[in-house]
Amino acid sequence: MSEAAAGLLSLLTLVVALVVVCVPLGTWIAKVFTDTRHWRVERVLYRVAGVDPEREQGWRAYAVSVGAVSVVGFVLLLGLILLQTSLPLRQGSDGMGVTTAVNTAVSFVTNTNWQSYAGEAGVTPLVQTLGLTIQNFVSAAVGLAVCIALTRALLRDGTGRIGNFWVDLVRGTVRVLLPGAVLAAVVLLVGGVVQNLAAPSTVTGLSGAEQVIRGGLVASQEAIKELGTNGGGYFNANSAHPFENPNPFTNLFEVFLLLVVPFALPRAFGIMVGDRRQGRALLGFASVLFGAGVGLTTWAEVAAASASTGSMEGKEQRFGVWASALFGAATTSTSTGAVNSLHESYSPLGGGVVLTNMLLGEVSPGGVGSGLYGIVVIAILSVFVAGLMVGRTPEYLGKTIGRREITMAALYSLVMPVLVLGFTGAALSMDGPRSTMLASGPHGLTEVLYAYASAANNNGSAFAGLSADNPWFNVTLAFCMAVGRFVPMMLVLGLAGSLAAQRRRPETAGTMPTHTPLFTGLLVGIALVLAGLTFFPALALGPLAEALS
């Protein structure tokens, strides 16, 4: 079978698998967050934490809870990283400097998983398991909780209450992420992914050079890394490493894992708001953008391979061009950040597409929770624009989009561009950061732009080529990760509080339908216009200029 035929068959298999699984999964997620009963294990956790699961919170209390769990997670993870060389299971780890440790702790708490260190050498198996893997669950559950809070707010009728964060956090972890990760880890184990605590082995190669081979609890971390759209690799080579991703089957399964929850959430949204057509409209929006990203990336890389321009550089032979392009498009569309190939070595257009996937705001379909609430913000902007064009009061699902709501949505859409363009310009204006670039000219600009886009969008993938493990990039990227995660999250919760406090308006003949293909097309247009007006000049100076040179 030719590589093109195998690639098309893989795409078809992926689509079928997502359709088969996302329907029941979306239904289950909706049931999880509307269930009036608490499981026994959940009640135990609430008692230990001193939480009253029946007490709902306003948006401010919900936001404080989000900040509290994130700050505590950061402090504990930072302490664990700084003390790791004095703890058991060191296994030759070199440890980290302070700025690298801060960058790493912020990265995993914000669901970014940017890694300025070599995975197997930078952290010990103890930190990998007790620190990074646990944060993979918690950070994903936090994003899912905020998404559910916004969805719930659209149903509330003048209450101002948006739910209980601690209940949402526990349910998202216990009922969705944990069982999914266990099943995924078993499949990865069967597929050949490593899971052990054996001491490192030293082997001698054919040239006589010695190589240290490390194992670890890889399958369990790999499962939640993909399912929670996290992305941090157990090894430096991430999902290109044969212990993390040994063959084409595991490669396709990992792509499935990083897409399944984000694509299931629109169905959950439709069920929770009482109109499944609304969920299908949002799903159509994400599917159009994702399909375009996969198609353009594959076309660019296949064209480069046909022209013999070195398209296989930085790609694994066991995956090839098609599977590498699919993984690259999927990981940058879902804020996952895992990579099975070197994006630095993509063709200029291929690299430009995976960069654009992030610059769209991670909404195609985006990360666990964060993708859906980003799509809902675009929907709110869209009904506001449409209302201005036709002279109607903008409404979304029975809630008026007034000054407060559109201000929150507009500020949300500005945070990421300000971080990306501001810090890219600052880095390129100084000799120190510029000296860490491997390339110059348009490709060098793309290296830096990609790094800040990855951080501010909580993606975590690296374009490579940029030597980012230095104080400037460690501190500024950590700042972008923290602000890019929590400021939009607080704005979403503020928006949820405002919507929940409103009385629901009955649908009338003048209400703009938000479930039609026309509205889906409007969503796509607004998303592209926002990203295009903001980032086209930077893209023109970077990947587009390189492609034309």
Side-chain angles (χ1 to χ4, degrees), residues 47-239:
R47 282 198 297 269
V48 171
V51 171
D52 179 4
E54 304 303 327
R55 183 179 180 182
E56 291 207 341
Q57 298 171 306
W59 78 266
R60 290 182 178 84
Y62 203 101
V64 169
S65 300
V66 169
V69 76
S70 301
V71 169
V72 170
F74 166 76
V75 172
L76 292 177
L77 181 56
L78 179 62
L80 194 61
I81 292 171
L82 292 175
L83 296 173
Q84 63 179 318
T85 54
S86 302
L87 298 174
L89 297 175
R90 178 177 178 178
Q91 293 193 0
S93 172
D94 300 327
M96 294 186 194
V98 174
T99 60
T100 308
V102 169
N103 179 283
T104 302
V106 171
S107 178
F108 279 80
V109 167
T110 59
N111 199 243
T112 309
N113 299 64
W114 171 275
Q115 293 173 290
S116 292
Y117 62 93
E120 62 270 43
V123 291
T124 64
L126 184 69
V127 174
Q128 294 270 23
T129 303
L130 293 183
L132 306 187
T133 302
I134 288 177
Q135 280 304 319
N136 283 346
F137 280 98
V138 175
S139 64
V142 168
L144 182 57
V146 173
C147 166
I148 295 300
L150 179 60
T151 305
R152 191 181 289 126
L154 291 165
L155 295 172
R156 297 298 167 91
D157 193 5
T159 67
R161 303 290 178 176
I162 60 173
N164 186 309
F165 168 74
W166 304 105
V167 172
D168 293 339
L169 180 73
V170 169
R171 288 188 177 187
T173 304
V174 172
R175 302 194 194 185
V176 179
L177 296 174
L178 188 57
V182 170
L183 290 174
V186 171
V187 175
L188 291 172
L189 275 169
V190 173
V193 178
V194 169
Q195 181 85 349
N196 62 52
L197 280 175
S201 302
T202 302
V203 299
T204 303
L206 296 177
S207 64
E210 291 187 342
Q211 181 181 2
V212 177
I213 299 178
R214 292 182 170 89
L217 301 176
V218 181
S220 55
Q221 183 166 324
E222 194 75 13
I224 187 59
K225 154 191 161 181
E226 309 293 9
L227 185 67
T229 60
N230 292 284
Y234 200 100
F235 300 98
N236 189 43
N238 207 287
S239 290

Side-chain angles (χ1 to χ4, degrees), residues 400-423:
T400 301
I401 308 304
R403 181 183 62 82
R404 179 177 173 81
E405 290 77 20
I406 199 62
T407 299
M408 296 285 188
L411 289 174
Y412 177 100
S413 66
L414 288 173
V415 173
M416 182 269 290
V418 168
L419 292 173
V420 173
L421 296 177
F423 278 101

Side-chain angles (χ1 to χ4, degrees), residues 293 297 324-325 327-333 343 346 349-359 362 450 459 461 463:
T297 306
S324 299
F327 201 110
T331 197
T332 52
S333 294
H343 293 181
Y346 277 27
L349 289 179
V353 174
V354 295
L355 171 59
T356 302
N357 288 338
M358 295 186 294
L359 296 179
E362 298 285 17
Y450 191 104
N459 182 277
S461 65
F463 201 65

Side-chain angles (χ1 to χ4, degrees), residues 339-499:
V339 292
N340 76 342
S341 55
L342 193 66
H343 293 181
E344 169 88 10
S345 295
Y346 277 27
S347 64
L349 289 179
V353 174
V354 295
L355 171 59
T356 302
N357 288 338
M358 295 186 294
L359 296 179
L360 285 170
E362 298 285 17
V363 290
S364 58
V368 170
S370 61
L372 183 60
Y373 66 64
I375 296 173
V376 173
V377 169
I378 292 177
I380 288 172
L381 290 172
S382 298
V383 297
F384 183 79
V385 171
L388 291 178
M389 289 192 295
V390 299
R392 292 179 180 174
T393 300
E395 299 175 24
Y396 187 62
L397 300 181
K399 297 300 179 79
T400 301
I401 308 304
R403 181 183 62 82
R404 179 177 173 81
E405 290 77 20
I406 199 62
T407 299
M408 296 285 188
L411 289 174
Y412 177 100
S413 66
L414 288 173
V415 173
M416 182 269 290
V418 168
L419 292 173
V420 173
L421 296 177
F423 278 101
T424 297
L428 292 173
S429 68
M430 294 184 286
D431 293 336
R434 274 206 314 272
S435 67
T436 64
M437 295 160 47
L438 177 66
S440 59
H443 198 77
L445 169 60
T446 304
E447 288 178 358
V448 179
L449 182 65
Y450 191 104
Y452 286 110
S454 180
N457 284 288
N458 302 128
N459 182 277
S461 65
F463 201 65
L466 184 71
S467 299
D469 190 10
N470 58 71
W472 165 265
F473 281 109
N474 279 334
V475 172
T476 58
L477 290 173
F479 179 84
C480 287
M481 288 185 278
V483 175
R485 173 74 165 180
F486 294 115
V487 172
M489 199 172 270
M490 296 304 112
L491 290 169
V492 166
L493 290 174
L495 176 62
S498 179
L499 294 172

